[in-house]
Structures are given as structure tokens and as C-alpha cells.
Amino acid sequence: MIAAVLAGFILAPVFAFSKKILVEKTAKLFALLPLILFVYFVSFSGQVASGEVVDFTYSWVPSLGIDLNFRIDGLSTLFLLLITGVGTLVFFYTSNYLKGHEKLSRFYAYLSLFMASMIGLVLSDNVFLLFIFWELTSISSFFLIGFNNTQEGSRKSAITALAITGFGGLFLLSFAIFSGGLTGTSRISEMAEMTEVFSSGTSSVLLLIFLLVAAFTKSAQFPFHFWLPGAMKAPTPVSTYLHSATMVKAGVFLLLRFSPHFSLNEWWSPVLILFGAITMVYAAIHTLFRTDMKGVLAYSTISALGILVFLIGLGNSYALSAALVFIVVHALYKAALFLVTGIVDHKTGTRDLTVLSGLRSFMWPVAIAGFVSAASSAGIPLFIGFIGKDLIYEGTLHSAMIWTTVVAVLTNFLLGYAGFAVGIKPFTGPKPEKSIAKPSAVLWFPPVLLAAGSLVFGLFPGLLEGIIIPAYEVTGGQDFHPLKIWHGFNLVLLLSGCTILLAILLYRFWKLNPEKETFISRFDPIAPKTILLKASLLFEKMAAFWTRTAQNGHLRNYVLIIIVALITALIYHLIGSPLTYLDQLIWTPLEWGEVVVVSIMFVAIIFTVFSKSRLAAVAGLGVVGYAMCFIFVFFSAPDLAMTQFTIDTLTVILFVLVLYRLPPYLKLTNNRLRIRDGVVSLAFGALITLLALEVMNESPARLISEFYAESSYLKAKGKNVVNVILVDFRGIDTLIEITVLSIAAIGVFGLLKLRLKKSEK
């Protein structure tokens, strides 16, 4: 299993650094990678269909109890087959679509990296592993969306997509950390047994927010949807793979994977239904005003993702089965329509629906794929889209909320129109004036195969049940309803017929023109994209303000901020821990020698602080250091006293030599700043003193000290524990410290000996 997960990562650099001529000749063979993986994952379908779950565990971070946990169950199998199946066709299609492109090898590397990331994501049974692959999908999609990096639009779209999905990734990380801490495990399957953690209390609300933000950003739910239309700047294979079958469904996968965990949470269904409904209707309406084929497909994709979130929120048996079937339905017809769009653009040089017509004469296989996919998107009988649409209506009718059925009908007939506009409009009507070259079979075969899938599964829906039923059971569904072409004359059939009729009428009478797209652009100032971009500008201003105030290049400011932060943390600690230990301290009587030394130290400190001479201040610091030497002697630490004496002597000499050549003493701060610094220094010193007293009052952990005491003589043949630690146990560290000090001393010596000419000063 680990080889299957890592195969894409291993081959990505191989693709990237292959020679251009080699890649062009062997590009079709690159499709063997997803094809082999597809066959490998199909081999588990028998076990999965029988209700079996296959786990693979590899050691990762044993000290934290985190392993590489991979799990093949019904839900992961469904997505694995989509990822590798559609991936095979996309790899094959790309070999001709980008033929001759100078960066073809790099494109395959990015595609391979993305596929591997998605495979790892859907297989992960460890929440931290899930997060890692989640972020890898964002990074690899950034490279794919910005593939045409010479175009400003592509660069902006890639950055926007990365910013939105990366923002959601932070929430997923928060979810991973928080859920792992509350449940005591990082295994997703084990968390499912602790539904009380996810269903009640303030913590469950936070977990829900973290998960939903992550899912909504990745699956382009309102108001985070705007990155997906911009991502259409990417080449068509990217749009096909990322935005119809894989990446954008990662958020849907996340919701399905954790639906059993949140099944008892009172906010789970209402929030998903609300955001799903808004997204599906909002995006479906937008398809009416778009004239670019990719633009229509982008908004219809957002609407379809809204439907999936909406169905997961409804949560009844029909809705869950509808969601799983619609994942397949959408992948088949939307991937086919994207590939059809790519062929049209590749051969005509335009995707403008207002000028395209009559292409069926030049590319009839492509036209057939477009017609079939459009029919499936509209839910016409005998296509799998018809069964998916019927299940959607069953789910809404069993929800006891009439408005859900209304928005479902509204969305479905608008999506039907969008399918007709992209799959039928370019191929009907008068022929274009100039002849158009016929596409290669390498281009038209993938969309035809996908369209055939829509027809085959529509005629024989039982073929899907072996995959859908296990996935349905994983999501917590019960009493699965068999997939059938005919359910008799009922309300669902009536709604389905009305949907098809409305889609046909809308396609017949709604005329596309640029003025309509201009009209919808008038609402851009209040669009979520504009609002969120303005919010991002506010963040930039805050960052600029923080940089000017806190990160302005002055070392004294950095030190001040660090010390103030430490003071705040220590005060917070002391508030929660009263200073009761002060009464328990044993105060030994002071001796005259200690009083004299501390008095000298105090006077030296006062002298240093208020001195107006650098040399006098250095001398004062030297006195403080020598006083510390006496304190070490008083407390029976002569070795430390000698070390302190040596260091202080050398430090004073170095300071004197360096400061002697500096300009005369300058007063660079005013009284207000000096008072501030004095207060901060006194507060910090007082808190450190209290902290030291608290440490002295605590029972020390003696494991380390006992180890050194027992091992110093036996292993290092030394009786002085401190010396043995420095010379033997930390010998390399001490050597490096000596080296650093030596280099610094040589540098200081070189500066002292430097004699510059006046022209060089």
C-alpha cells in the first residue's frame, strides 16, 4: 500500500527532469501510472463489497503514538476509483492536448504529485496524515493552476486558490490537534466511537467550525466559492481533474468521512443544509450569465458541490445515497464536458458560446460525448443523471421541508440548462465559415468513454451498487434503497419531468449575449470575492503596521518586546499560582561578608546605570561580575568563581578595547524611554527572582542529575561532574562554543588592527 501511495511522489521528479523529446514520445505511456493504480485498487473491491475493511499501518512517530494509518473501505474505494480512473483519461488526453509544449514534463510531474496527494488523502485514517495530504493537494493544485505562469491571470488565480484553501488548511490542522487531544487518539476510525466528543459541549461547536471551514474552502462553498472560477485559467486537463472529479470533492469527502462523528450534533444538519442551499442556487443562477464554456462549467461545478453538501446535511437514507450516486454522476458528465470544452478550444481557438455553432460536422465523436453528457446533467431517462436526480428529490421529500424540494428543482433545471449550453450549443446550428481540423482520437476517446459510462450506468444501475452500498454504510446510512431506472408514476417522476421540461425551455428561449454578463458584473462590489479581498487588504495594513512598530530593525525594540511578553506570561502564571511557597522558605542568616559583597554589587549597578561614560560603565559591570565571583566562593563553587573571573576579565578588556575607539558618549534616548526601560527591567528582575524561588520550592526531578553523578567517574573517569559534562558528555557542543568564541575574538582583533585610509572611511 505504501508503494501505491508514494508512486506518484516518486515518479513526479522523474517526469520533471525527463528530456523534452523523450517525454513527447512516451507521454501516452505515462497514463500507465494511474491505470496500474486503478487496477490495484479495483482488486480490493471484492473485499470492500463484502463489508470488509482493509487497514495498513506503518510506524511514523512512535514517541507521539502517530503512525501512517491507511484504510480502504467503501468511501475511500469510491474516491480512489474516481481519482485513478479519471486520472488515467486525463493523463492520456494531455499527451495530445499539450503536445509540443516546452513544459510538458513539468506538467506531468505536477499532475502526478496531485494524484498521489489525493490518493493519500482519501486513504488516510490518521487525522494528522489527512492534514498533510490535504495541504499537498493545495500546493500541487497551486502549481497546476499557475502552470501558464507567464500570464498574470494564471498567477493571480493560483495565489487566490492557494490562499483560500491554505486558510482552510489551518482550520483542519486546528481540528486535528483539538480532536486528537479530546479523544486521545489520532485514528479517524477510533474517533467515530466517541460521538459524545463531537456532539455536545463548547468543544463540539469548535470542532464543527474547524471542520466546516476546511471543507467549505476546499469545496468552494459560499462565500469561499470565488477561487474556483478563477482557477479555470489552468489548462483544460487541470480543470477536468481538479475541478470535476477530485480536488473540489476533497471537502465533500471530508464531510462524508466525519458525518458519523457529527451525526448527533444539533448544528451539523442545519448549517450544511443552509450553506449547501445558498451555494447551489447562487452558482446555478450565475450559469445563466456566462458566455465562456469554462465559466459555465465552473459555476455549475460550484452548484453541484453545493448540492452534495446540501444532501449530506439532509442526512436521510435517500439523501446520503443520492450524494454518493451524484458524486459519480457529476464526475462522469462534468469531466466529459470539460474535455469537450478543451477540444473545442484547442481546434477553434475560442470558448465563446455566442459565436460557436455547427461543430458536429467536424468532430462528431466529440458532439456525441457532449450530447450524452448534457443529457445526463439534465437527468434525462436512461442516463445515470436521471437516477441521481430522482434520489435527490426523494431525499428532499423525506426531509419534511418543502422548500428543500423547491430549491432542488430550481437548481437542477438550471444545471440542465448549463449542460445543454456547453454540450449541445457548440455543435448545433449553422456551420462555421472556415473548415476546422478534426481532433485526434487521443483527444475524443476520453470524453466518449466517460459519456459511455453515463449511459451504461444509467441502463444498468446495479453495476454501481457494489461501490455505492459499502460507501453508504461507512457514512452511517441504513436501509439502502436499490438503484432502479423505474420507480413508477409518483411525485418524484413528476418533479423530474418538470425539471427536464424547464431546462429545455430555458435553453430554447434564453439567449446568451455579452450584455448579460456585463449586467451581472455590476454586482461585483458586493460579491464575496470583493469583500474578502478588501478584508485581505486590511490584514496587509495590519501586517505593515506591525512591521513598522515591532520589526523595524532596532535590536532594542526586539529585546523589549521579548521581555514584555515574558513578563506577561510570568504574571499570568503567578496569578494562577499564589505565592504561598514564600512562607515555606527557610531563610538563613546573612554573614557580614555576604552583606558587603551584595552592597558593592548594588552600588556598582547604580553607578553603571547612571554613568555618562562608557568606560566607567564597563568598569562598573566588571565590579558586578567580580562580586558574583565572591558569591560563588561563599557557596562552595570555586570552579564557577574562576570561570566567572576569567570571563569577566576578558569581557572587560574586550569592551574597553572596542569602546575606546567609538565616538564620545551620546544621549540617544529621552527620560521617558529610560524610565520605561527601567520599569520593565525591574519588573522582569523581580519576576525572575520569584520564579527562581518557586523553582527552589519544587521537588526536583533527579533522574538526570543522578545519571551524571553515577556515570561521571565510571564512564568518563572524572570526579568533577560539571567538568565531565562540559568536556565529555557535551564535548562536541563545548568545542563548537570555543570555536565560535575564537572566531569572534579573531574578528574583534582584526577590527582593532584595521587602519583605513581617509578615502575609505
Side-chain angles (χ1 to χ4, degrees):
M1 177 56 66
I2 193 69
V5 175
L6 297 180
F9 295 113
I10 295 171
L11 290 178
V14 176
F15 293 153
F17 295 106
S18 297
K19 292 185 178 180
K20 179 182 176 182
I21 187 171
L22 178 64
V23 172
E24 288 188 358
K25 290 184 177 180
T26 61
K28 294 180 180 65
L29 298 178
F30 291 173
L32 290 175
L33 170 61
L35 179 60
I36 292 172
L37 291 174
F38 178 80
V39 173
Y40 174 71
F41 291 124
V42 166
S43 67
F44 291 96
S45 59
Q47 294 172 270
V48 172
S50 63
E52 195 174 334
V53 174
V54 186
D55 286 315
F56 298 88
T57 300
Y58 306 91
S59 180
W60 186 18
V61 189
S63 60
L64 297 178
I66 300 176
D67 297 320
L68 298 175
N69 306 115
F70 299 108
R71 184 181 183 88
I72 295 183
D73 57 17
L75 185 62
S76 59
T77 300
L78 172 62
F79 278 85
L80 286 169
L81 296 183
L82 287 177
I83 293 165
T84 54
V86 176
T88 301
L89 299 178
V90 169
F91 270 68
F92 186 68
Y93 179 93
T94 301
S95 65
N96 189 279
Y97 186 83
L98 291 179
K99 186 177 182 179
H101 198 289
E102 59 179 355
K103 297 178 181 177
L104 179 61
S105 58
R106 187 182 301 178
F107 184 83
Y108 272 113
Y110 296 157
L111 211 57
S112 177
L113 181 63
F114 174 79
M115 181 185 68
S117 302
M118 280 299 304
I119 290 173
L121 189 153
V122 300
L123 280 173
S124 297
D125 189 37
N126 183 297
V127 69
F128 292 101
L129 188 63
L130 174 71
F131 164 74
I132 290 174
F133 284 115
W134 183 277
E135 289 301 279
L136 285 173
T137 60
S138 295
I139 294 170
S140 52
S141 65
F142 167 77
F143 293 135
L144 286 167
I145 295 170
F147 179 69
N148 296 320
N149 52 30
T150 56
Q151 301 175 9
E152 184 180 0
S154 295
R155 297 195 300 271
K156 286 185 176 180
S157 297
I159 292 173
T160 301
L162 181 63
I164 297 298
T165 57
F167 172 74
L170 294 176
F171 281 83
L172 183 60
L173 177 60
S174 301
F175 175 83
I177 296 171
F178 201 26
S179 62
L182 290 172
T183 60
T185 179
S186 58
R187 293 286 297 265
I188 298 173
S189 55
E190 293 177 0
M191 289 179 181
E193 301 172 1
M194 308 177 191
T195 53
E196 67 280 356
V197 174
F198 300 92
S199 59
S200 60
T202 305
S203 59
S204 67
V205 176
L206 287 175
L207 287 172
L208 181 62
I209 292 172
F210 293 154
L211 185 79
L212 293 185
V213 173
F216 287 178
T217 52
K218 187 75 88 173
S219 286
Q221 296 301 290
F222 184 92
F224 306 109
H225 64 280
F226 58 85
W227 68 265
L228 197 149
M232 294 302 155
K233 297 287 184 182
T236 296
V238 176
S239 302
T240 305
Y241 201 27
L242 273 67
H243 306 138
S244 64
T246 53
M247 176 183 165
V248 292
K249 288 194 175 74
V252 173
F253 170 82
L254 190 69
L255 295 176
L256 288 169
R257 176 62 79 194
F258 282 95
S259 59
H261 301 62
F262 288 95
S263 59
L264 300 179
N265 191 302
E266 62 178 340
W267 293 103
W268 174 256
S269 291
V271 173
L272 290 182
I273 292 173
L274 176 62
F275 279 90
I278 292 173
T279 302
M280 59 196 261
V281 174
Y282 175 87
I285 292 174
H286 266 272
T287 61
L288 296 173
F289 300 92
R290 306 297 162 179
T291 58
D292 180 90
M293 293 175 72
K294 270 195 174 183
V296 174
L297 292 177
Y299 280 99
S300 65
T301 297
I302 296 171
S303 182
L305 294 170
I307 291 175
L308 290 171
V309 172
F310 174 75
L311 292 172
I312 296 170
L314 291 177
N316 59 60
S317 58
Y318 285 102
L320 284 178
S321 58
L324 295 168
V325 171
F326 191 67
I327 287 172
V328 178
V329 171
H330 181 257
L332 290 174
Y333 82 72
K334 188 58 64 68
L337 290 176
F338 266 117
L339 295 178
V340 166
T341 299
I343 296 171
V344 171
D345 186 23
H346 197 259
K347 295 302 178 181
T348 65
T350 182
R351 300 192 302 262
D352 191 345
L353 288 170
T354 61
V355 299
L356 290 169
S357 67
L359 297 180
R360 66 187 182 282
S361 301
F362 305 99
M363 47 183 79
W364 62 266
V366 182
I368 292 174
F371 292 160
V372 172
S373 299
S376 184
S377 72
I380 293 176
L382 302 185
F383 298 99
I384 187 62
F386 171 73
I387 298 173
K389 177 162 52 56
D390 277 9
L391 286 172
I392 292 174
Y393 292 150
E394 289 280 9
T396 59
L397 291 173
H398 282 79
S399 68
M401 293 181 287
I402 297 178
W403 69 269
T404 59
T405 302
V406 174
V407 297
V409 172
L410 173 63
T411 302
N412 276 324
F413 87 75
L414 290 175
L415 289 183
Y417 157 79
F420 292 154
V422 175
I424 297 178
K425 171 67 171 62
F427 304 101
T428 57
K431 294 181 181 180
E433 296 180 359
K434 61 179 181 179
S435 179
I436 297 173
K438 294 182 179 181
S440 164
V442 177
L443 287 177
W444 59 255
F445 176 74
V448 167
L449 186 61
L450 289 166
S454 294
L455 179 60
V456 170
F457 288 130
L459 294 173
F460 308 101
L463 295 175
L464 272 181
E465 290 187 352
I467 300 174
I468 298 298
I469 293 176
Y472 175 79
E473 293 172 348
V474 170
T475 58
Q478 297 178 352
D479 300 325
F480 181 81
H481 305 280
L483 303 180
K484 297 179 181 179
I485 300 176
W486 178 252
H487 290 272
F489 293 99
N490 51 26
L491 180 58
V492 171
L493 182 64
L494 176 62
L495 293 174
S496 184
C498 291
T499 302
I500 297 171
L501 179 61
L502 289 172
I504 293 173
L505 291 175
L506 185 62
Y507 173 70
R508 175 67 180 82
F509 294 105
W510 182 264
K511 301 301 180 183
L512 286 172
N513 56 66
E515 287 76 15
K516 291 178 179 177
E517 193 161 9
T518 303
F519 167 77
I520 199 69
S521 65
R522 295 177 183 176
F523 297 94
D524 286 348
I526 59 173
K529 177 180 180 180
T530 305
I531 295 171
L532 289 178
L533 287 178
K534 288 181 179 178
S536 68
L537 293 177
L538 179 61
F539 277 108
E540 289 183 11
K541 291 180 180 178
M542 292 174 60
F545 170 77
W546 179 253
T547 302
R548 289 194 303 270
T549 55
Q551 301 290 328
N552 53 13
H554 295 289
L555 180 61
R556 62 179 179 270
N557 281 6
Y558 300 160
V559 174
L560 179 66
I561 291 170
I562 293 171
I563 291 177
V564 170
L566 288 173
I567 291 173
T568 304
L570 290 173
I571 290 175
Y572 176 80
H573 168 73
L574 292 175
I575 290 174
S577 303
L579 304 178
T580 55
Y581 57 84
L582 292 178
D583 299 331
Q584 303 172 9
L585 293 175
I586 300 175
W587 300 90
T588 58
L590 294 175
E591 297 182 1
W592 282 106
E594 295 172 350
V595 174
V596 172
V597 170
V598 172
S599 299
I600 293 173
M601 183 185 294
F602 181 75
V603 173
I605 291 172
I606 298 297
F607 177 79
T608 301
V609 171
F610 291 98
S611 175
K612 295 185 178 181
S613 168
R614 290 195 185 93
L615 295 179
V618 170
L621 288 176
V623 172
V624 174
Y626 292 145
M628 285 296 300
C629 294
F630 282 105
I631 291 176
F632 288 143
V633 171
F634 292 153
F635 288 93
S636 302
D639 51 345
L640 291 179
M642 290 302 298
T643 303
Q644 179 74 22
F645 178 80
T646 305
I647 294 298
D648 264 299
T649 302
L650 290 174
T651 303
V652 169
I653 293 173
L654 286 173
F655 273 147
V656 169
L657 291 174
V658 173
L659 297 177
Y660 180 74
R661 298 182 178 275
L662 291 178
Y665 183 83
L666 298 175
K667 189 175 180 180
L668 299 176
T669 57
N670 54 38
N671 291 331
R672 183 176 62 84
L673 292 178
R674 286 197 293 275
I675 292 172
R676 179 202 67 185
D677 295 342
V679 171
V680 171
S681 301
L682 290 172
F684 187 63
L687 289 171
I688 290 296
T689 302
L690 292 174
L691 191 62
L693 292 174
E694 181 179 5
V695 170
M696 291 171 61
N697 190 56
E698 293 290 332
S699 299
R702 299 187 178 278
L703 292 176
I704 297 176
S705 59
E706 289 174 357
F707 167 79
Y708 283 123
E710 294 172 359
S711 305
S712 293
Y713 185 75
L714 295 176
K715 295 185 177 181
K717 311 303 179 186
K719 296 182 179 180
N720 189 311
V721 177
V722 175
N723 291 344
V724 169
I725 292 173
L726 293 175
V727 176
D728 292 276
F729 291 106
R730 290 182 57 233
I732 296 178
D733 182 51
T734 304
L735 176 63
I736 294 172
E737 290 176 353
I738 294 171
T739 304
V740 172
L741 289 172
S742 300
I743 293 172
I746 293 171
V748 172
F749 180 77
L751 290 173
L752 293 174
K753 291 294 184 180
L754 185 63
R755 295 290 185 271
L756 295 176
K757 298 178 181 179
K758 290 185 178 181
S759 60
E760 296 175 330
K761 292 183 179 179

